[in-house]
Amino acid sequence: MSSVLRLMASMTTASLRCPSQSLSLKRIQRLPSPASFRRSFVVAASDFANENREFVIVGGGNSAGYAARTFVEHGMADGRLCMVTKEPVAPYERPALTKGYLFPPDKKPARLPGFHTCVGSGGERQTPEWYTEQGIEVLYQDPVVGLDTEAQTLTTSSGKLLKYGSLIISTGCESARFPEKIGGNLPGVHYIRDVADADSLISSLEKAKKVVVIGGGYIGMEVAAATIGWNLDTTIIFPEDHLMTRLFTPSLARRYEDLYSETGIKILKGARIDKLAAGSDGRVATVILGNGSTLEADTVIVGIGAKPAVGPFEAVGLNKTVGGIEVDSLFRTSVPGVFAIGDVAAFPLKMYDRIARVEHVDHARKSAQHCVKALLTAQTHPYDYLPYFYSRVFEYEGSKRKVWWQFFGDNVGDTIEVGNFDPKIATFWIDNDSRLKGIFLESGSPEEFGLLPRLARLQPIVDKEKLKSASSVEAALEIVTNSLQVAL
């Protein structure tokens, strides 16, 4: 097995199939009063670098931005809240980086401040000025490197000592990288996790001719769809049998693979990377596959997953099954006064009775809001999340076909596919009791997309044979919706 294979095999990716191992749902039912959530502290302000020290958010991603907004909504931000981030910019809607941000320059690409949190959910754009106006102290480009839970202090990379009463860990994930010894750090090799990564990639694309995208998941599919819009020679490589194996059925994947091929994107399935080799100028020039064949490439984008950015917070308590920091249904860790939200949190997925870690903007937003409300109010009801994933590609001007799909629920059980992908197609996951567990829809109307979360949450019993014989996606949705009405 090559070093790349070992890397990919050992990675812990976001999973919705992980059984509950170390956190019992019974523990969630006996919740102490909200007054016990916070830890007290009495210090002189001059002893610490942060003036707003009662609440500290570590991280500058989506969940951090939504947490800040929730503090503001409860009147608890001004003079009380401090945010510490490694980035030089305020929190933003991260999905834009592999979608609109990578559009060609003549196709109206997204740029900051256009997609600062919380515009992704229809909220106010929280620019740096917004944080100042709200009395929120933000320490930019100064990541936390140390934590002392007894003293309730944090140490930053610049040496600042910060005090907290309640700490919210919102550090998200970091890209899984190829080892340096096989070319993972060569100039021209890119990973996308923040706006600086995206800016670096755009700089390469402006001079690129041959692009290789490694990985057949969200990042791989979204980046390849963007680079072909630059009219660049684009190849997408992945070791699996089909695209998006975490969600797509083989039949569904074939539809997207055919569409990508029609746009000019070359697809190499079952291809394993042995090495990325440099040319005479020191930049990446060749992708060497496990079978010895080679591909020319002046730009390589690696999208092989991510891992939780736990950094100095390992002592708070990790879940080794799904990765990330283990929390209860109110996002409390095992350490009093310390919480974790978003991608980094391993939380009880109530409706499926298991522990999960979800890397998605929807969960980032909702977990932040739930955590802060529990911290500041008498709210004690457990987080009851419905898994939701989506993607939007080929949305730039001049594209022959825009793609937008949504999925709600759990992709377990038998599948029934309805539709011809012209443009609609739907896939239904149904368990042994004929109960709907998950539903996928491509190119639905707003009303049709609006049905999906209700159907996935209520899980009606469906007549499989009737659903298989549906003449269209619209007819299939009507059958499932009628099943829901019968159940009620």
Side-chain angles (χ1 to χ4, degrees):
M1 179 181 290
S2 71
S3 56
V4 176
L5 287 179
R6 287 193 295 272
L7 170 70
M8 298 178 73
S10 65
M11 283 179 46
T12 301
T13 58
S15 173
L16 292 180
R17 298 181 181 277
C18 298
S20 176
Q21 295 287 335
S22 53
L23 183 60
S24 169
L25 289 178
K26 292 181 180 179
R27 167 182 163 191
I28 306 168
Q29 307 307 319
R30 297 188 294 275
L31 300 174
S33 65
S36 66
F37 292 5
R38 306 183 204 171
R39 298 177 69 183
S40 62
F41 59 97
V42 179
V43 295
S46 59
D47 293 341
F48 299 95
N50 57 321
E51 295 178 2
N52 300 338
R53 63 184 181 273
E54 184 173 351
F55 307 105
V56 175
I57 300 171
V58 177
N62 257 308
S63 55
Y66 279 80
R69 183 177 75 171
T70 310
F71 274 106
V72 170
E73 291 170 346
H74 286 81
M76 297 293 282
D78 193 357
R80 298 182 178 185
L81 177 62
C82 175
M83 181 185 295
V84 192
T85 173
K86 66 180 181 180
E87 293 200 59
V89 296
Y92 50 88
E93 304 288 347
R94 219 161 280 266
L97 296 180
T98 54
K99 299 179 177 69
Y101 204 88
L102 295 184
F103 287 178
D106 61 337
K107 307 296 185 185
K108 300 178 181 179
R111 290 291 180 269
L112 290 173
F115 58 97
H116 275 298
T117 302
C118 296
V119 296
S121 61
E124 183 179 2
R125 181 178 292 111
Q126 297 171 194
T127 61
E129 292 75 22
W130 180 90
Y131 290 89
T132 301
E133 291 167 1
Q134 301 300 329
I136 300 171
E137 182 180 12
V138 183
L139 305 180
Y140 295 101
Q141 292 182 287
D142 201 7
V144 169
V145 295
L147 167 67
D148 185 332
T149 57
E150 291 300 318
Q152 295 172 240
T153 59
L154 302 163
T155 304
T156 71
S157 62
S158 69
K160 291 185 177 70
L161 186 65
L162 312 179
K163 181 71 175 177
Y164 68 86
S166 295
L167 170 64
I168 299 177
I169 303 168
S170 175
T171 47
C173 288
E174 54 192 16
S175 298
R177 303 176 68 93
F178 282 165
E180 182 176 3
K181 65 182 180 181
I182 66 164
N185 293 341
L186 286 175
V189 176
H190 297 270
Y191 306 84
I192 302 182
R193 203 67 201 178
D194 57 35
V195 71
D197 293 336
D199 284 338
S200 177
L201 174 56
I202 288 169
S203 179
S204 283
L205 293 178
E206 289 172 346
K207 303 181 287 288
K209 294 182 179 179
K210 293 181 179 292
V211 176
V212 170
V213 181
I214 301 173
Y218 289 95
I219 291 177
M221 291 187 68
E222 291 176 359
V223 170
T227 59
I228 200 67
W230 292 65
N231 295 317
L232 299 175
D233 184 319
T234 300
T235 302
I236 182 169
I237 301 174
F238 48 92
E240 298 85 7
D241 295 332
H242 61 78
L243 285 170
M244 194 72 76
T245 52
R246 197 170 74 188
L247 176 61
F248 288 179
T249 65
S251 175
L252 186 60
R254 280 196 297 272
R255 310 277 192 160
Y256 288 94
E257 289 165 8
D258 289 345
L259 174 63
Y260 272 56
S261 296
E262 289 169 8
T263 68
I265 297 170
K266 295 184 281 294
I267 298 175
L268 286 181
K269 308 178 191 180
R272 305 185 182 278
I273 311 299
D274 187 64
K275 186 178 180 181
L276 306 177
S280 58
D281 60 356
R283 288 180 56 86
V284 67
T286 308
V287 177
I288 303 173
L289 304 182
N291 62 6
S293 61
T294 62
L295 289 172
E296 292 182 7
D298 49 48
T299 300
V300 173
I301 303 98
V302 181
I304 56 173
K307 54 186 179 181
V310 294
F313 303 107
E314 290 189 21
V316 172
L318 304 183
N319 183 294
K320 295 182 180 179
T321 303
V322 301
I325 298 171
E326 188 168 300
V327 297
D328 66 9
S329 62
L330 298 180
F331 295 97
R332 297 174 298 180
T333 70
S334 60
V335 177
V338 180
F339 303 75
I341 58 177
D343 293 1
V344 78
F347 67 98
L349 191 58
K350 180 183 176 184
M351 68 180 299
Y352 298 128
D353 192 20
R354 63 174 183 256
I355 300 299
R357 190 178 61 78
V358 178
E359 296 174 16
H360 194 266
V361 63
D362 182 62
H363 166 63
R365 296 166 179 163
K366 292 176 179 176
S367 63
Q369 293 164 336
H370 194 93
C371 173
V372 176
K373 287 178 182 177
L375 173 61
L376 300 179
T377 72
Q379 171 183 286
T380 58
H381 65 268
Y383 185 59
D384 189 10
Y385 185 67
L386 172 66
Y388 161 57
F389 298 96
Y390 79 96
S391 187
R392 303 174 68 142
V393 294
F394 299 113
E395 289 194 306
Y396 41 81
E397 183 180 325
S399 171
K400 295 180 181 179
R401 164 84 181 267
K402 294 178 174 60
V403 170
W404 184 16
W405 58 259
Q406 293 186 22
F407 168 84
F408 285 87
D410 204 11
N411 57 329
V412 296
D414 297 328
T415 58
I416 296 175
E417 184 180 288
V418 180
N420 58 7
F421 201 62
D422 187 28
K424 292 182 181 179
I425 192 168
T427 300
F428 303 85
W429 280 262
I430 301 174
D431 68 12
N432 292 334
D433 297 323
S434 296
R435 191 171 294 280
L436 179 70
K437 302 299 290 186
I439 182 169
F440 173 101
L441 177 62
E442 164 65 49
S443 297
S445 67
E447 295 75 20
E448 289 168 340
F449 280 135
L451 284 172
L452 304 190
R454 186 162 179 255
L455 293 169
R457 185 171 287 280
L458 296 178
Q459 303 178 39
I461 293 175
V462 178
D463 185 328
K464 291 183 180 181
E465 295 307 314
K466 191 172 182 181
L467 186 59
K468 289 177 182 177
S469 65
S471 59
S472 65
V473 169
E474 292 83 356
L477 289 173
E478 184 175 0
I479 290 169
V480 177
T481 303
N482 289 340
S483 299
L484 177 61
Q485 292 170 349
V486 169
L488 296 177

